[in-house]
Amino acid sequence: MPEASPRGTYLVIAETLRNEVQSGQGGDALPSEAELMDSHGVSRNTIRRALKVLEADGVVESAPGIGWRVVRGGDRRSLAQRMTDLIEEDSLSIGATYPSEAKLCERFGVSRTAVRRVLGQMEGNGLLATVHGKGRTVRALPASTVQP
């Protein structure tokens, strides 16, 4: 790494780790954060941000007492894609109530932080709207759901 890390270094590291996981290198457990820091020449915070990106995409998960491990089998879509597809899977229409953060965490088996990040993206993309006191509602249907 150069002396001054450019913005987005964590994204480069996340992509490198994603490629290693997809090619089958390593095993079920990722190296420790300290080993990743040494191999990439960055801070612990940068490594954690990269791991959070992969966690949000459903590539890795935190295993208390073990570290980070690769998610095997199951649904390989990113969390963002799974949460967007939920609108069609649950037959939600415009104005329908979107599931709560707690229900989304339970359904997808991810952290509240990961769910909140994707919800923010969905709101930013105009798919969801937050109505204070009532939760989130579907504001628009995803492109794949819209009928011609």
Side-chain angles (χ1 to χ4, degrees):
M1 288 268 138
E3 284 184 31
S5 296
R7 288 181 184 239
T9 300
Y10 73 100
L11 294 172
V12 173
I13 294 170
E15 196 58 34
T16 300
L17 292 172
R18 181 189 320 273
N19 291 337
E20 289 174 8
V21 166
Q22 290 175 343
S23 69
Q25 295 176 4
D28 285 340
L30 292 180
S32 69
E33 289 180 2
E35 292 170 334
L36 290 171
M37 288 168 47
D38 288 340
S39 65
H40 293 281
V42 295
S43 69
R44 184 175 302 275
N45 189 48
T46 302
I47 292 298
R48 287 185 175 164
R49 287 182 74 186
L51 292 169
K52 288 295 182 185
V53 167
L54 295 176
E55 179 183 38
D57 288 345
V59 176
V60 299
E61 63 186 358
S62 177
I66 297 171
W68 291 88
R69 66 178 176 205
V70 177
V71 175
R72 296 283 182 209
D75 196 344
R76 298 300 294 167
R77 295 176 295 167
S78 71
L79 179 60
Q81 188 62 50
R82 291 184 287 162
M83 286 176 59
T84 301
D85 290 348
L86 181 144
I87 294 171
E88 183 177 3
E89 291 166 3
D90 289 2
S91 302
L92 300 177
S93 59
I94 294 176
T97 302
Y98 195 77
S100 68
E101 289 177 4
K103 288 183 180 177
L104 293 167
C105 290
E106 182 180 329
R107 181 171 181 164
F108 297 116
V110 296
S111 70
R112 189 171 290 247
T113 302
V115 165
R116 284 182 177 163
R117 184 178 297 127
V118 174
L119 287 171
Q121 290 172 357
M122 292 175 75
E123 287 177 4
N125 292 337
L127 292 176
L128 299 178
T130 300
V131 180
H132 293 287
K134 295 189 179 189
R136 290 180 177 85
T137 58
V138 177
R139 184 173 177 195
L141 299 177
S144 61
T145 309
V146 176
Q147 301 296 324

